[in-house]
Each structure stands twice: as structure tokens, then as C-alpha cells.
């Protein structure tokens, strides 16, 4: 079964459709998971590199979110036997497929922002008149 026909069959069954959306949201929920995934789309990163690239995330929260992503099969953690120990994180094959999801979210966000800002500007014009 092709991927498009598989998606169409899921859309026809609202229970499966909702379950698929819930599964996705359970993996991607929270403030930090998408920025972490977005950062890892550009390649392997060490903990400190991720911490520097994602403003305002605490080390404790980064650690927690990386563990969640690892449990869900989105990120792999590789420990190297060096002194000091080196740990790298990278996206799994499944994690890399989220690239299309992030691209769609970015496109929607840019379009939505323009629409919202345009409405605010129109409201400001009518208020000042």
C-alpha cells in the first residue's frame, strides 16, 4: 500500500486519525523538544553544543527532554570511551523524517505571523483614526 493511500485510509477512520495525532503530540509535546530536534537536524551534537544553541533551556530540562526523545526512538545517544567521557546525540532515521513536519510548521508559522501582524496593524489604524 502506498504511503498516500495509507494516509487516506487513516483519515477515513476518525479513531485512527485521532490516535495518530495523539501519538505525534505525545512524542513532540513540550516547549523544548522541537527546538532540540531542529538543532539535531544539522548533525550530531554534544550536550553543551545543544545547550548553547537553544536559548534559555536549563541543563536539567535538556537532559530530561533528550531522555524522552531517546525513549521514543527519535534520538540516539552515543557514549565514547574518552577522558573525559564524550556523549553525542543525533537523530534516528525516524527522527530525521520529522524534517518535513518542521518545514511545514515553519511555513505555517511564517504565514500565520504575517496574517496576525497584518490584523494588528489594521486594528491599530482604526483605533488611531
Amino acid at each position: 500500500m502506498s504511503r498516500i493511500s495509507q494516509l487516506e485510509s487513516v483519515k477515513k477512520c476518525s479513531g485512527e486519525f485521532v490516535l495518530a495525532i495523539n501519538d505525534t503530540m505525545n512524542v513532540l509535546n513540550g516547549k523544548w523538544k522541537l527546538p532540540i530536534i531542529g538543532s539535531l537536524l544539522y548533525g550530531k551534537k554534544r550536550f553543551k553544543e545543544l545547550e548553547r544553541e537553544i536559548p534559555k533551556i536549563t541543563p536539567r530540562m535538556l537532559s530530561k527532554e533528550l531522555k524522552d526523545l531517546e525513549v521514543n526512538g527519535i534520538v540516539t545517544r552515543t557514549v565514547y570511551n574518552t577522558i573525559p567521557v564524550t556523549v553525542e546525540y543525533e537523530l534516528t532515521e525516524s527522527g530525521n523524517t520529522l524534517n518535513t513536519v518542521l518545514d511545514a510548521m515553519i511555513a505555517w508559522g511564517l504565514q500565520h505571523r504575517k496574517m496576525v501582524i497584518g490584523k494588528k496593524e489594521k486594528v491599530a489604524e482604526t483605533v488611531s483614526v
Side-chain angles (χ1 to χ4, degrees):
M1 180 184 288
S2 78
R3 199 177 148 159
I4 292 173
S5 62
Q6 185 180 15
L7 284 173
E8 290 302 318
S9 69
V10 168
K11 286 181 182 178
K12 290 177 185 171
C13 176
S14 63
E16 283 185 56
F17 183 73
V18 170
L19 185 62
I21 290 172
N22 282 338
D23 289 345
T24 304
M25 293 306 297
N26 286 336
V27 171
L28 301 179
N29 73 340
K31 179 178 179 178
W32 301 110
K33 287 191 178 112
L34 288 173
I36 292 168
I37 292 167
S39 179
L40 289 173
L41 280 170
Y42 295 98
K44 296 178 185 180
K45 300 260 174 31
R46 294 191 319 217
F47 187 89
K48 277 292 186 187
E49 289 175 296
L50 287 167
E51 194 177 358
R52 277 187 225 111
E53 284 186 12
I54 304 169
K56 298 183 181 176
I57 192 167
T58 63
R60 183 176 179 180
M61 184 55 70
L62 178 58
S63 178
K64 178 196 168 297
E65 298 290 52
L66 285 166
K67 285 177 188 172
D68 286 350
L69 290 167
E70 187 178 8
V71 166
N72 285 304
I74 304 299
V75 169
T76 57
R77 178 179 187 264
T78 307
V79 179
Y80 296 98
N81 191 17
T82 58
I83 299 175
V85 173
T86 304
V87 179
E88 284 185 334
Y89 296 91
E90 69 180 314
L91 293 175
T92 62
E93 189 175 328
S94 178
N96 276 309
T97 63
L98 290 168
N99 190 17
T100 55
V101 174
L102 287 176
D103 286 346
M105 289 177 75
I106 290 166
W108 183 88
L110 291 170
Q111 180 184 4
H112 183 70
R113 178 178 289 272
K114 283 180 189 175
M115 183 184 73
V116 169
I117 290 173
K119 284 183 180 180
K120 286 182 181 178
E121 288 173 354
K122 286 181 185 176
V123 169
E125 287 173 10
T126 58
V127 171
S128 64
V129 174

